Amino acid sequence: MESILSTLMSTSTSTISTTEALLYGMGASILGFVISLTYIKTGTVSKNFARTLIILPFLVCMVMLAVNGNFGTSLAVVGAFSLVRFRSLQGSSRDIGFIFFAMTIGIICAVGQMPLAVIVTAIICGIHFVLNGIGYAAKEAGEKDLRVTIPENLDYSDIFDDIFERFTLSHKQIAVRTTNMGSMYEINYRVRLISEENEKDFLDEIRMRNGNLTVVCGRCDMNEAEEL
């Protein structure tokens, strides 16, 4: 540990030319591009986030090199970046993981350990591709999120049970909440349809039962906030 710290401190206090800094930054951007491709190929994609992953390692590397007279200060500045709350859609744990991934690569490039940065990028990207390929912890195929609105005078406990028996392989009530100032209930179910071709008939049956109020059926992650 002492040898690693001494190496980092000596790297941070040494004079780095503009050309060397730009080379480190370009290397970080190339690895950021690889990270961005991994993000695109292994899950749901946000265009702006994918582009940010290319830029982030370069910025982190430049900040580290700009304050290379004090390694502790450079880490503090980079750490402050992680405290910034972006005014956008709520990020998932996957997005946060990729942010830390990109920042780590930027830091490794800044201390001049380009071979290590390439190895770390290859290992982490490989893990993502393997987990995505085998479907690790993926939701069961065909499972959908069903949200049904009913008037407050209806008993929601078993109102759709007969419809579920005819159209679904499985169903489970996830949550119930009041809406429209308490005059209606919104019920959230997790369902697996027997046949995707009968989805319209399934929704029509529910609409006739709930008085033609709002019915939403889609992917399980459509409106779902992912927990860390």
Side-chain angles (χ1 to χ4, degrees), residues 1-76:
M1 180 62 69
E2 291 179 358
S3 62
I4 293 174
L5 291 176
S6 62
T7 302
L8 293 176
M9 292 299 294
S10 62
T11 303
S12 64
T13 55
S14 61
T15 301
I16 298 178
S17 66
T18 302
T19 302
E20 289 176 325
L22 290 177
L23 288 175
Y24 290 158
M26 290 179 62
S29 293
I30 293 172
L31 295 177
F33 180 71
V34 175
I35 294 172
S36 181
L37 285 179
T38 303
Y39 169 78
I40 293 171
K41 298 294 185 180
T42 57
T44 56
V45 177
S46 167
K47 178 185 69 176
N48 292 330
F49 188 78
R51 294 175 179 177
T52 301
L53 288 175
I54 301 175
I55 301 171
L56 186 59
F58 178 84
L59 293 177
V60 172
C61 183
M62 289 298 101
V63 170
M64 293 279 293
L65 293 175
V67 290
N68 69 343
N70 189 318
F71 186 73
T73 301
S74 61
L75 280 180

Side-chain angles (χ1 to χ4, degrees), residues 130-178:
V130 169
L131 295 179
N132 183 70
I134 65 176
Y136 180 78
K139 290 184 173 65
E140 195 170 1
E143 209 171 48
K144 291 193 173 184
D145 187 29
L146 176 67
R147 299 175 186 267
V148 184
T149 303
I150 65 172
E152 63 176 345
N153 60 340
L154 292 181
D155 182 8
Y156 58 79
S157 59
D158 58 356
I159 183 174
F160 302 115
D161 283 0
D162 59 322
I163 299 176
F164 290 147
E165 289 178 4
R166 287 189 284 121
F167 288 96
T168 68
L169 293 172
S170 64
H171 67 277
K172 182 170 67 172
Q173 181 178 301
I174 303 299
V176 179
R177 71 183 182 97
T178 59

